[in-house]
Amino acid sequence: MRTALCPGSFDPITKGHLDIILRASRLFDRVVVLVSVNPDKRTAFSVEERVELIRAVTGDLANVEVDAYQGLLVDYARQVGATASIRGLRAVSDFEYEFQMALANKKLDPQLETIFLNTNSKYMYLSSSLVKQIAAFGGDIDDFVPQAIIEPIKQRLSKGVS
Ligand code: COD
């Protein structure tokens, strides 16, 4: 059985993330969406909230699981027998960061491959930060996050982004 990870902050999950998860689920037998710690980001949603939001929109994908982990990605990958980490690439601006991370992970564990899926052109501009900013100012996020989580996100962020 081939297992892949879709790691990220998912603060919160967007339609861009979901598109990558969906496509990964067609390529691998089992996909674990992993809420991980990015030390460079201060998150608005707790780990539990992010996991819950992802579960709410991936429940219909039979081979997709959601988990959270506080350590190194390579350690989690070994624990669950994952052979690939799937990352989404939006624009050239993503590349340097993604490339650095892929090379570091390869150094830490040569068995773990990083696979890049290009963004769906519909979601090229989309990021969690954009969603948080628009929702915090009462804007319409319907085009940016899946239907099932629009209200929870709006309610949570209407009091302002931390
Ligand atoms: N279209 C397509 N892909 C997208 C879109 C979009 N609109 N928006 C985001 N994505 C992609 C991102 O490019 C990324 O690949 C993925 O979705 C998740 O994005 P984020 O922003 O939620 O996640 P990041 O980049 O903050 O995740 C970084 C990790 C948390 C995975 C990283 O810091 C990590 O692995 N942490 C664990 C500790 C570790 O092992 N560190 C060493 C790494 S070298």
Side-chain angles (χ1 to χ4, degrees), residues 8-10 17 37-38 41 73 87-88 90 97 119 123 126:
S9 306
F10 304 110
H17 292 131
V37 178
N38 181 341
K41 290 184 182 171
L73 185 70
R87 300 282 292 171
R90 280 164 295 192
Y97 163 65
T119 183
Y123 306 130
L126 187 50

Side-chain angles (χ1 to χ4, degrees), residues 24-143:
S25 76
R26 295 187 190 128
L27 295 171
F28 284 83
D29 302 312
R30 176 182 171 227
V31 170
V32 182
V33 183
L34 190 68
V35 175
S36 314
V37 178
N38 181 341
D40 299 328
K41 290 184 182 171
R42 202 166 140 239
T43 57
F45 292 84
S46 70
V47 170
E48 293 74 22
E49 287 172 323
R50 286 178 275 155
V51 166
E52 203 176 310
L53 291 171
I54 300 169
R55 288 211 171 112
V57 297
T58 56
D60 58 336
L61 301 174
N63 63 339
V64 172
E65 299 162 29
V66 188
D67 199 1
Y69 189 66
Q70 298 257 332
L72 284 177
L73 185 70
V74 290
D75 290 337
Y76 183 89
R78 274 191 216 108
Q79 281 176 31
V80 299
T83 50
S85 167
I86 311 282
R87 300 282 292 171
L89 270 188
R90 280 164 295 192
V92 181
S93 53
D94 276 346
F95 184 75
E96 197 174 336
Y97 163 65
E98 292 292 342
F99 194 58
Q100 184 187 33
M101 200 153 58
L103 291 178
N105 279 328
K106 192 76 182 160
K107 189 83 184 159
L108 291 169
D109 184 354
Q111 303 302 316
L112 184 70
E113 293 293 347
T114 299
I115 298 177
F116 296 111
L117 297 183
N118 59 289
T119 183
N120 184 320
S121 57
K122 283 193 289 190
Y123 306 130
M124 212 173 152
Y125 62 91
L126 187 50
S127 70
S128 299
S129 314
L130 192 90
V131 169
K132 284 184 280 194
Q133 203 174 112
I134 294 170
F137 290 111
D140 188 359
I141 55 168
D142 297 25
D143 285 342

